[in-house]
Amino acid sequence: MAVKLYDTDAYLNEFEATVTGCFITAEGTFELTLDKTAFFPNEGGQSCDKGTINGMEVLNVEYKENEIFHVVKFFIPEGTTVEGKIDFAHRFSNMQMHTGEHIFSGLVHSEFGFNNVGFHLSDNSATMDYDGKLSEDDVKGLEILTNRMIWAAKNVRVFFPSEEELSGLDYRSKSGIKGDVRLVEIEDVDLCACCAPHVKNTSEVGLFKIASVETYKGGTRLNYLAGERAYNDYLRLSELESELSRSLNAKKGNISESVGKLKHSISELEYSNIALKRMKVSAVCDSATTPFVFLESDYVDIMRFALGELKSKFNGLCAVFAGNDESGYRYLIEYDGKDLVDLAEKLKATFEIKGGGRSGSLQGNIIGSKDSINAFLETQIGA
Ligand SMILES: [Zn+2]
């Protein structure tokens, strides 16, 4: 088993080690084992470190069978001394994210008594799951407290207590931790068993932001950002704000007000559009010589309005169609108090129909030409 150099020094980004094994995989890559490593593997819900070994990209770092396997493209014989380099920007971002999670989870535990029951940290998302329900307001309060703990520059200590020492300690624990218990203590905030690299002082986390809150398995799932990732998200939002400000021609502070005005104008336009359509439909119905009309607009409201106009003018069967010969027509057919089962059967026998109805009313979609539908309905008036 390789000595885990990251266990005691999270800031070590270059190291020398000896190859203890090199195994070919089914994919044709090689799994390298070392006598010691600074590469953190995929473990505890966190994705692995990136970096190089002898200049070769490390494609993956797996923890299995109590050993750490570094996946590389080329064979390196056992006994070779190699030089490992960690992509420290990536590592440090994970350290900021993970320490941020500990502060937040510690506060969730002390303020609400809930446990962190799930943690996932990959390069593009990070989630924390709790076994209790947190409201948006609870989360907001915890987020502020977390940031205050970050700015208070609390020390972070990693240590391996003896069995005796451990038995006297009250610490948060996650399942799946094997071997010696490694504790991460954040001064005045939290004590938690954990296998991952952390920053040495909370101030290095910089910033902590919850991105979303959702109910999950009867508890709460939170998406969050910390450190550089939180800053990058702030940049993204700030650029979005500038873009909106330009396209709405509004000052940055007035975007919400400007969108409100825009929505109001749209609803006024929609209203006058409907009024215009109704006027047009009224004229069509007024000049109709048969109790069925064909419209361009297939808004149900407009179709219903037309049907009302027809029913005030004609007795018996009235029908409104909207659409065109190519893609078909949406239809509304009514005959007050009359059972239209017969008509529905005849329609189905004559045209391709999708629809249904109840007593006195049919609606759906019909494939057929205006002329053929007209001809069919002519035969049905008074039938
Ligand atoms: Zn942890």
Side-chain angles (χ1 to χ4, degrees):
M1 173 69 191
V3 174
K4 300 168 180 174
L5 300 171
Y6 55 83
D7 256 357
T8 45
D9 188 357
Y11 295 81
L12 180 73
N13 60 353
E14 286 188 22
F15 67 101
E16 256 188 15
T18 305
V19 176
T20 56
C22 190
F23 315 93
I24 191 158
T25 68
E27 292 80 39
T29 54
F30 295 90
E31 290 185 330
L32 209 61
T33 56
L34 305 171
D35 64 336
K36 52 184 177 291
T37 184
F39 278 95
F40 180 73
N42 296 307
E43 199 186 357
Q46 180 171 325
S47 59
C48 66
D49 278 333
K50 294 176 174 180
T52 58
I53 289 176
N54 275 5
M56 270 196 291
E57 187 191 356
V58 174
L59 307 168
N60 195 8
V61 190
E62 287 289 352
Y63 180 79
K64 55 189 182 187
E65 300 142 23
N66 206 31
E67 184 55 274
I68 294 171
F69 293 87
H70 309 74
V71 181
V72 290
K73 276 187 187 158
F74 302 99
F75 179 81
I76 303 179
E78 196 178 327
T80 310
T81 302
V82 291
E83 191 181 288
K85 276 188 184 161
I86 305 294
D87 173 348
F88 193 69
H90 176 260
R91 154 72 72 81
F92 187 67
S93 167
N94 277 354
M95 284 156 63
Q96 290 181 313
M97 290 292 288
H98 204 132
T99 306
E101 181 270 317
H102 276 225
I103 302 170
F104 190 87
S105 292
L107 288 166
V108 168
H109 190 71
S110 60
E111 300 285 318
F112 293 89
F114 301 152
N115 298 300
N116 173 245
V117 288
F119 174 63
H120 167 83
L121 172 58
S122 72
D123 292 348
N124 37 36
S125 80
T127 56
M128 312 179 286
D129 301 335
Y130 299 96
D131 59 0
K133 285 205 175 129
L134 294 167
S135 70
E136 299 256 355
D137 278 348
D138 295 338
V139 170
K140 232 181 243 177
L142 287 161
E143 182 185 281
I144 292 165
L145 284 178
T146 301
N147 279 301
R148 286 185 185 147
M149 285 301 176
I150 290 167
W151 305 327
K154 302 285 183 187
N155 285 320
V156 181
R157 181 170 75 104
V158 174
F159 63 107
F160 292 88
S162 66
E163 228 170 273
E164 194 191 346
E165 201 182 342
L166 191 66
S167 64
L169 289 172
D170 182 19
Y171 63 98
R172 294 192 300 116
S173 173
K174 287 172 196 155
S175 56
I177 292 168
K178 303 164 199 108
D180 288 344
V181 177
R182 179 176 181 268
L183 290 181
V184 177
E185 179 189 53
I186 303 175
E187 189 189 353
D188 301 331
V189 186
D190 189 42
L191 183 63
C192 182
C194 179
C195 56
H198 285 266
V199 295
K200 61 184 181 304
N201 188 283
T202 60
S203 63
E204 292 173 68
V205 178
L207 182 65
F208 183 90
K209 187 76 191 80
I210 295 294
S212 71
V213 183
E214 57 191 285
T215 299
Y216 181 74
K217 289 184 177 173
T220 311
R221 168 164 282 187
L222 304 171
N223 270 279
Y224 79 102
L225 298 150
E228 190 167 352
R229 289 210 210 176
Y231 173 71
N232 285 338
D233 198 54
Y234 186 88
L235 280 184
R236 178 186 68 82
L237 291 171
S238 166
E239 272 162 24
L240 180 68
E241 190 187 30
S242 300
E243 219 175 282
L244 284 172
S245 154
R246 276 194 299 275
S247 67
L248 291 167
N249 202 14
K251 280 185 183 160
K252 280 191 178 180
N254 290 342
I255 286 175
S256 177
E257 191 187 321
S258 186
V259 169
K261 278 184 189 162
L262 203 62
K263 277 171 82 179
H264 183 69
S265 319
I266 289 169
S267 67
E268 283 203 327
L269 278 171
E270 276 174 347
Y271 189 74
S272 41
N273 193 20
I274 287 171
L276 278 171
K277 277 183 177 159
R278 284 190 174 202
M279 276 169 68
K280 208 171 152 190
V281 164
S282 267
V284 170
C285 294
D286 256 4
S287 60
T289 52
T290 55
F292 31 91
V293 291
F294 286 77
L295 307 173
E296 284 163 16
S297 165
D298 67 349
Y299 284 123
V300 172
D301 281 359
I302 296 290
M303 289 178 74
R304 290 222 167 276
F305 174 75
L307 198 62
E309 295 280 284
L310 287 179
K311 282 164 81 177
S312 67
K313 190 173 166 184
F314 298 98
N315 290 318
L317 184 78
C318 291
V320 177
F321 294 84
N324 54 58
D325 282 8
E326 286 72 42
S327 46
Y329 293 87
R330 188 172 189 170
Y331 64 84
L332 292 176
I333 302 172
E334 285 194 13
Y335 195 166
D336 285 338
K338 177 138 186 200
D339 187 355
L340 294 177
V341 174
D342 241 26
L343 180 67
E345 292 293 324
K346 281 182 196 164
L347 266 172
K348 256 183 199 150
T350 320
F351 298 98
E352 197 184 315
I353 295 278
K354 250 191 213 162
R358 54 187 164 81
S359 177
S361 161
L362 295 177
Q363 58 178 304
N365 289 292
I366 183 167
I367 302 290
S369 69
K370 185 177 173 179
D371 288 347
S372 62
I373 296 168
N374 255 326
F376 170 82
L377 288 173
E378 296 275 5
T379 66
Q380 298 305 311
I381 301 176

